[in-house]
Amino acid sequence: MTAQKTAFITGITGQDGALLAAFLLEKGYVVHGLRLYSATDDAQRLSALLPNPSFRLHTGDMTDGGSLRHLITAINPDEIYNLAAQSHVQASFAVPEATANINALGTVRLLDILRDRERPARFYQASSSEMFGNAPAPQNEQTPMHPCNPYGAAKLYAYHMVRIYREAYGLFACNGILFNHESPVRGEEFVTRKITRAVAAVHAGRQDVLTLGNLDARRDWGDARDYVAGMWIMLRHPTPGDYVLATGETHSVRDFVTAAFACTGIMLDWTGSGLEECGIDRATGTPLVRIDPALFRPQELHTLCGDAALARRTFGWTPKTGFEGLVRTMVEADIAQLAG
Ligand code: NAP
Ligand code: GDD
């Protein structure tokens, strides 16, 4: 009989934290999660997990090394998934120092605790395709990294520290370089969920217009459930490394909006250009999508499209859900949520 494994997840209240916790509990793990003392949405994403006796929440903060050391000593985990972050790219321009403290130095705090331990846990770092910046697509592990916002720069520092601690101290530490991944529990401030919530609200007659920023930005959007499985598989491989997880397909924000409205039977036509561009209901002529210049970023990352061939070859990871399926799942979940 194999001993029950223990995992420690930072960022447990976020999209990936909640989905990974559910995934690991299903696999028979004891799951400990780090939540911020100020976290308000435990009930939202974690409500189904809270009654499980193998699931435990702890209060702490990535900016407080003492709380992290105390928890890791007490929990003695087999695996650590470092998912905590100030994860909003636009917000990182407003709070660059806090972003660096949480995303960059927070990671070093964890690595340094592991370095001192007799039996260090296997470590997964939530690295990001934002580290590539505007490097030409497709991006893979060999692509030069050139982030174009404070979030990407903080993630790049953490990425290098994971590699350095692996090489210098022999830690089993992996970077998952994940491209955008979404789900019905995606934060409402990210563009996909903002769109699917608005489409559901328009469908229910509760909203007239959706306002967006850059419709031309292209992202490689996958299903978050495929990606949390990939995090776990990465830590199963006998040797640690850095791996891209991506679908290999890229779509514009405009494509996502068009596909989301189509799920409710609304066909959009796009008219005008630049700030005057407008998405119009073909059947009624009603404008449903407009541009708000305040939603543009100081510097944009234009195109992400990942090449996950190394993860496929090394440990057989491939995403199961395609773009259309993802959009439909999110729209249907938001319609069901509104219906209540
Ligand atoms: P998310 O929903 O924004 O979750 C981030 C989590 O970090 C939340 O639980 C948040 O807590 C927590 N957190 C923030 N500041 C903290 C602090 N000082 N101390 C402790 N916890 C803190 O992000 P996600 O989409 O699940 O992404 C998970 C990780 O993967 C993040 O590191 C993100 O940068 C990275 N990533 C995400 C994607 C993607 O497409 N989703 C792609 C590549 C990389 P509160 O909820 O209480 O604020
Ligand atoms: N959020 C948002 N809101 N984005 C908008 C909007 C809007 O109203 N209008 C257009 N966009 C564009 C943004 O300019 C960006 O080009 C694209 O939509 C995607 O934005 P987000 O959904 O906010 O995600 P992101 O790509 O910036 O960052 C996400 O993916 C990264 C991986 O590539 C986050 O999850 C990061 O944490 C993650 O590392």
Side-chain angles (χ1 to χ4, degrees), residues 13-16 61-62 83-85 87 151 155 178 180-181 186:
T13 56
Q15 167 187 259
D16 290 6
D61 193 315
M62 292 300 290
L83 310 184
S87 74
Y151 167 83
K155 284 284 183 183
L178 270 49
N180 299 49
H181 46 278
R186 179 61 143 152

Side-chain angles (χ1 to χ4, degrees), residues 49-74:
L49 311 183
L50 289 171
N52 189 325
S54 296
F55 182 65
R56 285 157 225 172
L57 285 179
H58 307 270
T59 298
D61 193 315
M62 292 300 290
T63 65
D64 184 324
S67 70
L68 298 174
R69 185 174 291 276
H70 171 74
L71 284 173
I72 289 172
T73 306

Side-chain angles (χ1 to χ4, degrees), residues 256-280:
F256 196 104
V257 180
T258 305
F261 273 106
C263 293
T264 64
I266 294 177
M267 297 302 143
L268 282 187
D269 285 327
W270 295 94
T271 63
S273 62
L275 297 182
E276 302 308 319
E277 187 165 357
C278 188
I280 293 180

Side-chain angles (χ1 to χ4, degrees), residues 6-10 32-34 58 71-72 75 77 79-81 110:
T6 300
F8 178 50
I9 303 175
T10 72
H32 294 260
L34 178 77
H58 307 270
L71 284 173
I72 289 172
I75 295 165
E79 294 166 19
I80 296 179
Y81 296 86
L110 289 176

Side-chain angles (χ1 to χ4, degrees), residues 17 44 64 95 102 124 133 157 171 196 232 242 264 282 301:
Q44 244 183 43
D64 184 324
V95 290
I102 298 165
Y124 173 86
Y157 175 83
L171 288 185
T196 60
W232 177 76
D242 305 325
T264 64
R282 188 177 301 160
L301 193 167

Side-chain angles (χ1 to χ4, degrees), residues 87 89 128-129 151 180 186 189 191 194 213 217 219 297 300:
S87 74
V89 170
S128 168
S129 46
Y151 167 83
N180 299 49
R186 179 61 143 152
E189 52 293 307
V191 78
K194 179 176 172 180
R219 291 290 181 275
R297 296 174 177 184
E300 182 61 280

